[in-house]
Amino acid sequence: IAGITQAPTSQILAAGRRMTLRCTQDMRHNAMYWYRQDLGLGLRLIHYSNTAGTTGKGEVPDGYSVSRANTDDFPLTLASAVPSQTSVYFCASSHRDSNEQFFGPGTRLTVL
Amino acid sequence: GENVEQHPSTLSVQEGDSAVIKCTYSDSASNYFPWYKQELGKRPQLIIDIRSNVGEKKDQRIAVTLNKTAKHFSLHITETQPEDSAVYFCAARDPRAGGTSYGKLTFGQGTILTVHP
């Protein structure tokens, strides 16, 4: 692994189903973030984690949960997907000594 | 919380012209302002950033200016090229948010820049 990766690349999901989006980074970054990107709304923060074992709510956390069991992984779970969660999801990470956030390649999620 | 407004939403220029994208922010405590470029189907990537103790920063054909009093900052691209065509996002960081020194970013809505050959 080099950098930050996400899986799956894309997914079509029936409403009401549970889904976990995976994010892994090998840069030993302290902080990790989940954003959703919708046309005309830019990138909106869903949840974040400043360090392993801690998480926090972003701008649009409802319907999503996260965990940070270790430094490298930051999964995002939709417990019961709804059509309004159709979006492109980006994971990002940053080091405590740097302001720059590095983004993963994104997951395109469609909820029908 | 922080609110970032970005204008224009679309910008079309001829190759060689300059392009300017403007953002305003609401929270005077914000101290870091990055600009990201996102090509079609790709991930956002940082192109330039500025801290609140600096008024201007340049990197080859791109520059960012910051007016703390007015709470606005701008991206300037000179001698535009077709490969500059992309969506550009501004962001502001409130250092108090998140309970750590690196805080959280609030993004603008994005500007679709098209450079015509």
Side-chain angles (χ1 to χ4, degrees):
Chain A
I1 298 176
I4 183 167
T5 61
Q6 293 182 235
T9 302
S10 64
Q11 182 75 45
I12 298 174
L13 190 67
R17 297 298 294 270
R18 180 184 180 90
M19 177 72 191
T20 295
L21 308 184
R22 300 184 297 279
C23 176
T24 300
Q25 53 99 2
D26 65 354
M27 299 178 284
R28 308 305 294 173
H29 284 174
N30 311 90
M32 298 186 74
Y33 316 84
W34 273 106
Y35 294 91
R36 60 176 291 172
Q37 183 175 33
D38 303 290
L39 191 62
L41 296 176
L43 292 152
R44 293 182 292 168
L45 184 65
I46 304 171
H47 284 289
Y48 66 93
S49 169
N50 291 326
T51 188
T54 69
T55 63
K57 294 182 179 180
E59 182 183 353
V60 288
D62 294 343
Y64 306 95
S65 64
V66 291
S67 62
R68 186 88 184 277
N70 56 62
T71 299
D72 299 345
D73 301 299
F74 191 44
L76 176 74
T77 298
L78 290 67
S80 179
V82 295
S84 61
Q85 292 178 310
T86 293
S87 187
V88 179
Y89 291 85
F90 285 100
C91 179
S93 68
S94 66
H95 191 276
R96 67 159 62 92
D97 294 331
S98 171
N99 293 305
E100 183 174 359
Q101 291 190 16
F102 292 84
F103 284 81
T107 293
R108 182 174 296 276
L109 181 67
T110 303
V111 183
L112 301 176
Chain B
E2 176 65 275
N3 182 53
V4 177
E5 296 289 332
Q6 183 172 345
H7 298 281
S9 56
T10 61
L11 180 59
S12 183
V13 300
Q14 289 296 127
E15 182 176 3
D17 288 350
S18 294
V20 180
I21 302 170
K22 299 180 179 180
C23 288
T24 60
Y25 60 100
S26 61
D27 194 335
S28 58
S30 290
N31 65 355
Y32 171 69
F33 307 92
W35 286 89
Y36 283 81
K37 176 183 180 182
Q38 185 180 27
E39 297 177 354
L40 188 64
K42 301 291 182 61
R43 70 190 79 187
Q45 291 190 300
L46 180 71
I47 57 171
I48 195 167
D49 55 12
I50 192 167
R51 293 176 183 268
S52 58
N53 59 349
V54 176
E56 183 176 6
K57 184 178 179 180
K58 290 183 179 180
D59 183 2
Q60 299 182 339
R61 295 187 298 108
I62 60 173
V64 57
T65 58
L66 172 65
N67 184 324
K68 286 178 57 180
T69 303
K71 289 188 285 188
H72 68 70
F73 57 111
S74 300
L75 177 71
H76 305 254
I77 306 174
T78 58
E79 302 173 25
T80 55
Q81 301 167 3
E83 50 265 40
D84 293 330
S85 297
V87 181
Y88 291 81
F89 292 98
C90 64
R93 186 190 70 181
D94 177 356
R96 302 165 302 180
T100 70
S101 61
Y102 36 89
K104 297 183 292 184
L105 292 178
T106 299
F107 284 83
Q109 298 85 352
T111 296
I112 302 172
L113 173 64
T114 303
V115 181
H116 298 282

